[in-house]
Amino acid sequence: GDIVLLAKPVTLTEGDRVTLTTDVLMATDGTSKPEKLLYAVSVPPVRGQIEYINYPGVPISSWSQLDVVAQKVCDVHDNSHEASKDSFR
């Protein structure tokens, strides 16, 4: 089916991390298989990384909607002061 994506901005301070929840990142395709809906980072954040909560310090470039539902993925800001905004695609 058609994929519907909800993505809301989140605010991080220097050195902070935020868990990617379904309130900020949600994809559906009309099926009940969130483990088959995959996100892939094509442009990583410049001032940090995306990582699994259980593996801090190890950047990831893909994860599933089920990982988001289980609150296993976070966006981590490094301690740099150079930018007031950062993003990933």
Side-chain angles (χ1 to χ4, degrees):
D2 293 332
I3 294 176
V4 177
L5 177 65
L6 164 75
K8 294 181 181 177
V10 295
T11 302
L12 289 133
T13 56
E14 295 165 11
D16 202 5
R17 64 192 286 162
V18 64
T19 301
L20 301 181
T21 66
T22 55
D23 291 339
V24 297
L25 187 61
M26 181 70 178
T28 59
D29 68 350
T31 70
S32 59
K33 297 183 180 183
E35 70 277 6
K36 295 197 178 205
L37 288 171
L38 302 177
Y39 296 94
V41 176
S42 58
V43 179
V46 174
R47 305 287 177 227
Q49 61 192 26
I50 309 302
E51 58 188 38
Y52 283 115
I53 289 175
N54 292 338
Y55 298 96
V58 179
I60 59 173
S61 59
S62 64
W63 63 92
S64 72
Q65 181 63 44
L66 186 60
D67 292 331
V68 176
V69 170
Q71 298 184 3
K72 293 181 176 182
V73 180
C74 62
D75 184 356
V76 180
H77 188 283
D78 63 14
N79 286 317
S80 65
H81 305 283
E82 289 90 26
S84 61
K85 290 187 177 185
D86 197 5
S87 65
F88 65 90
R89 292 187 183 274

